[in-house]
């Protein structure tokens, strides 16, 4: 019997989504913005938070606790949605996120803030997955491309507006409102989803795979800690890092072994039998690797080498994010109109390789216009990939696995970001310190002893010779980081070439269930709205 999404999922005769679905989509975009905006806002408020609460030595844990909880809970939320219904799990994730936000705003010391940020991260893990999976339920893949532009716009708005909003809120209302601001937005999303979204209720017969959850959580936590602490808190060859690597590998191997025996596995391994799903996971990992590495080092290069102001740091990424937004909208419209999509992973990966190579050629004489053009090329590539990877991954599985497909794709992108920031960061730091030692001798080594990333105030205090040496060192460091990114992006291009263009399922009259040629999802009949 063909599986059908909820009433209200289909289009009306005029080709437009029913009003109730449009209201839900707006609420979903608000929830997605909450998940993406939070770290951007908090980053700007952190100096003020430390000034009031103290605990500078634990500063990194405010971000790390949130990241760990988000990454570890992401696959669990996806599976819970598949087993017990997406609406209930999504509403629960919003509530947990809002509770964590309220508690974080009331924190009285750094320890409390770190703990409450972990609660917030647990909820955030379900926000992004819930948005993607619910859209997968409501909108047939053929029509889903039209909403790529909305999701790309939310992402661009969060990256550009986050630092500006965070700074404005902190300066005028105090840092606690950087957390409290989530509450009214979250309540709006909660009310709209609760009142308007109607999805079939589910009740799985099998119990929750607790052992799988524990093994996966330990594996993800160890992996993220290795990429977060390696080369910063601890040397890469230190006993602590080696212990974490051993723990992570053992846990993930045990997890894979257990998933073949669990009655209701957290991540059913059969979804990786679909070639397209596996390839999209690889492309998603590379996209996360490249994107978050680029957003870390581009503002640093522009501030340190090109003398740009750090006040509006989000605006420095506008060429890349604007290009990503435009391309994502175009890719979505073309996919909806034609049902064809393979060209976008191939073209997007190729543009990323070219763009990252161009960024690696920047030096102390590169103008802002030139670097803006190079950023735009990378943005064009990412725009072709950001939402297409999720769309193809969802199209490659059955409806019953929509949640785990969404969460797995999101998790691979998150892990890619962790590895990108860690590996590119280590390469950058080592290169900067080596060049500073070569060009400025003992003074150069002293300048970068604590950190290879100097803020504007520290840079201004340096002697002229040391400042010029640091600018040259930063351009050398970004050269190495972006060149590595270009090499990694080649892996995405190789994966994209092997993508099989399976027709996207679209709205239409009910038809019998049929398997696609990729071994993926059955064609899904779409229910008429009521």
């Amino acid at each position: 019997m063909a599986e059908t999404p909820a009433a209200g999922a289909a289009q009306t005769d005029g080709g437009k989504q029913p009003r109730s679905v449009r209201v839900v989509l707006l609420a979903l975009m608000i929830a997605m913005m909450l998940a993406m905006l939070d770290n951007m806002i908090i980053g700007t408020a952190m100096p003020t938070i430390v000034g009031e609460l103290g605990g500078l030595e634990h500063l990194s844990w405010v971000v790390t606790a949130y990241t760990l909880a988000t990454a570890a809970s992401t696959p669990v939320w996806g599976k819970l949605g598949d087993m017990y219904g997406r609406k209930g799990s999504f509403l629960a994730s919003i509530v947990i996120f809002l509770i964590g936000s309220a508690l974080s705003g009331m924190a009285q010391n750094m320890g409390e803030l770190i703990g409450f940020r972990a609660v917030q991260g647990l909820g955030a893990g379900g926000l992004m997955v819930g948005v993607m999976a619910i859209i997968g339920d409501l909108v047939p893949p053929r029509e889903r491309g039209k909403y790529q532009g909305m999701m790309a716009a939310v992402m661009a708005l969060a990256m550009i507006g986050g630092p500006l909003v965070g700074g404005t809120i902190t300066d005028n209302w105090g840092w606690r409102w950087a957390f409290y601001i989530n509450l009214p937005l979250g309540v709006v999303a909660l009310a709209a989803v609760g009142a308007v979204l109607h999805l079939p209720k589910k009740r799985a017969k099998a119990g929750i795979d607790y052992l799988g959850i524990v093994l996966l959580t330990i594996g993800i936590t160890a992996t993220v800690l290795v990429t977060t602490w390696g080369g910063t808190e601890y040397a890469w060859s230190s006993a602590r890092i080696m212990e974490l690597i051993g723990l992570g590998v053992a846990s993930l191997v045990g997890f894979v072994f257990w998933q073949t025996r669990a009655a209701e596995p957290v991540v059913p391994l059969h979804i990786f039998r679909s070639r397209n799903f596996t390839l999209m996971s690889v492309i998603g990992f590379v996209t996360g690797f490249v994107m978050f590495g680029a957003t870390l080092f581009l503002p640093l290069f522009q501030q340190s080498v090109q003398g740009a102001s750090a006040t509006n740091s989000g605006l420095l990424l506008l060429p890349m994010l604007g290009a990503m937004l435009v391309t994502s909208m175009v890719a979505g419209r073309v996919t909806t109109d034609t049902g064809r999509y393979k060209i976008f992973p191939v073209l997007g990966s190729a543009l990323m390789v070219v763009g990252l190579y161009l960024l690696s050629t920047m030096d102390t004489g590169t103008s802002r216009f030139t670097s803006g053009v190079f950023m735009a090329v990378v943005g064009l590539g990412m725009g072709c990939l950001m939402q297409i990877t999720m769309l193809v991954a969802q199209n490659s599985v059955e409806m019953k696995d929509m949640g785990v497909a969404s969460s797995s794709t999101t998790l691979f992108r998150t892990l890619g970001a962790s590895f990108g920031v860690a590996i590119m960061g280590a390469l950058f730091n080592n290169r900067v310190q080596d060049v500073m030692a070569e060009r400025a001798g003992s003074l150069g080594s002293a300048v970068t002893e604590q950190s290879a990333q100097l803020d504007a105030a520290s840079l201004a205090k340096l002697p002229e010779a040391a400042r010029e040496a640091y600018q040259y060192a930063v351009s050398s460091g970004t050269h190495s980081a972006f060149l590595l990114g270009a090499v990694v992006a080649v892996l995405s291009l190789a994966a994209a070439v092997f993508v099989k263009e399976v027709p996207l399922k679209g709205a239409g009259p009910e038809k019998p269930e049929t398997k696609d040629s990729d071994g993926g999802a059955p064609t899904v009949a779409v229910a008429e709205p009521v």
Side-chain angles (χ1 to χ4, degrees):
M1 181 176 178
E3 203 174 339
T4 62
Q11 292 180 311
T12 60
D13 292 338
K16 292 178 66 177
Q17 291 287 346
R19 181 176 177 275
S20 61
V21 175
R22 295 199 297 273
V23 172
V24 170
L25 288 172
L26 176 61
L28 294 179
M29 292 304 109
I30 293 174
M32 182 177 174
M33 177 171 287
L34 286 174
M36 299 200 62
L37 198 60
D38 195 74
N39 266 339
M40 299 288 180
I41 291 179
I42 301 310
T44 313
M46 282 312 300
T48 307
I49 293 174
V50 172
E52 181 173 328
L53 299 183
L56 178 62
E57 67 275 14
H58 304 303
L59 175 64
S60 62
W61 274 104
V62 176
V63 175
T64 301
Y66 180 90
T67 304
L68 277 176
T70 301
S73 64
T74 292
V76 178
W77 283 114
K79 186 60 181 179
L80 290 177
D82 285 342
M83 292 177 66
Y84 300 109
R86 259 177 272 289
K87 179 177 178 178
S89 63
F90 185 58
L91 292 177
S93 70
I94 296 177
V95 170
I96 293 174
F97 181 82
L98 295 182
I99 290 173
S101 298
L103 291 174
S104 295
M106 294 186 286
Q108 298 302 307
N109 55 62
M110 191 61 79
E112 288 183 2
L113 180 59
I114 291 169
F116 296 150
R117 283 284 283 167
V119 174
Q120 198 182 20
L122 287 175
L127 292 182
M128 188 69 74
V129 173
V131 168
M132 298 300 181
I134 290 172
I135 288 178
D137 274 350
L138 293 178
V139 185
R142 179 70 178 266
E143 306 300 323
R144 216 171 290 158
K146 291 190 295 188
Y147 300 97
Q148 288 181 30
M150 293 172 59
M151 290 184 275
V154 167
M155 184 175 296
L157 187 60
M159 288 187 160
I160 294 172
L164 298 175
V165 173
T168 301
I169 290 175
T170 303
D171 291 342
N172 294 283
W173 298 347
W175 66 265
R176 296 182 186 276
W177 277 97
F179 295 103
Y180 292 151
I181 194 67
N182 293 328
L183 301 181
L185 292 174
V187 169
V188 169
L190 196 65
V193 172
V196 182
L197 178 63
H198 303 290
L199 293 172
K201 293 183 178 180
K202 303 176 183 178
R203 182 68 188 178
K205 295 180 181 178
I208 297 174
D209 178 17
Y210 292 106
L211 179 57
I213 290 173
V214 170
L215 289 171
L216 182 59
T217 300
I218 293 174
I220 292 173
T221 300
T223 301
V224 174
L225 286 178
V226 167
T227 57
T228 303
W229 285 349
T232 54
E233 298 287 327
Y234 302 95
W236 284 105
S237 57
S238 68
R240 179 58 56 86
I241 296 298
M242 292 298 106
E243 290 168 358
L244 285 172
I245 290 175
L247 179 62
V249 171
S251 299
L252 292 177
V253 169
F255 171 76
V256 172
F257 175 79
W258 174 248
Q259 292 306 279
T260 62
R261 287 157 175 75
E264 192 66 55
V266 180
V267 180
L269 300 182
H270 67 78
I271 62 177
F272 291 97
R273 294 175 190 159
S274 167
R275 182 172 75 185
N276 276 4
F277 182 84
T278 302
L279 292 173
M280 288 303 117
S281 298
V282 172
I283 294 173
F285 180 92
V286 173
T287 303
F289 189 106
V290 168
M291 181 175 180
F292 286 89
T295 54
L296 175 65
F297 294 110
L298 282 170
L300 179 63
F301 176 86
Q302 292 186 304
Q303 292 169 34
S304 301
V305 179
Q306 297 179 327
S309 168
T311 306
N312 299 325
S313 56
L315 297 176
L316 299 174
L317 299 174
L318 192 57
M320 183 176 74
L321 298 175
M324 183 180 76
L325 173 60
V326 171
T327 314
S328 184
M329 294 177 68
V330 171
R333 176 55 63 182
V334 171
T335 300
T336 296
D337 291 344
T338 66
R340 307 188 73 83
Y341 53 81
K342 180 175 179 176
I343 181 62
F344 296 112
V346 174
L347 179 62
S349 299
L351 285 170
M352 278 206 311
V353 173
V354 173
L356 288 163
Y357 174 75
L358 291 174
L359 288 175
S360 75
T361 65
M362 295 189 303
D363 55 28
T364 54
T366 303
S367 67
R368 292 191 194 179
F369 175 79
T370 301
S371 61
V373 172
F374 294 168
M375 280 192 282
V377 176
V378 176
L380 291 173
M382 290 193 299
C384 291
L385 297 173
M386 287 302 296
Q387 305 306 330
I388 286 290
T389 52
M390 181 66 71
L391 187 155
V392 177
Q394 290 179 337
N395 192 61
S396 302
V397 302
E398 299 181 24
M399 285 291 289
K400 67 182 180 67
D401 293 324
M402 185 70 71
V404 293
S406 303
S407 63
S408 297
T409 305
T410 303
L411 177 62
F412 277 109
R413 188 178 296 173
T414 302
L415 293 178
S418 294
F419 277 92
V421 170
I423 298 174
M424 293 173 77
L427 196 62
F428 172 86
N429 290 340
N430 290 336
R431 184 60 184 154
V432 168
Q433 290 168 347
D434 289 346
V435 172
M436 285 295 285
E438 291 171 7
R439 292 200 156 226
S442 58
L443 175 60
S445 299
V447 166
T448 58
E449 184 178 7
Q450 297 298 322
S451 174
Q453 301 179 27
L454 302 183
D455 56 27
S458 301
L459 190 59
K461 295 176 183 176
L462 293 179
E464 182 69 24
R467 185 162 58 249
E468 290 180 359
Y470 182 71
Q471 290 173 338
Y472 182 83
V474 168
S475 66
S476 297
T478 51
H479 164 77
S480 300
F482 288 129
L483 195 59
L484 171 66
V487 172
V488 173
V490 172
L491 179 61
S492 175
L493 179 59
V497 169
F498 291 99
V499 170
K500 189 171 185 178
E501 195 158 50
V502 179
L504 294 174
K505 301 180 288 290
E510 188 166 340
K511 26 175 124 169
E513 183 177 315
T514 58
K515 287 279 185 182
D516 66 36
S517 58
D518 187 43
T523 301
V524 179
V526 179
E528 288 300 320
V530 292

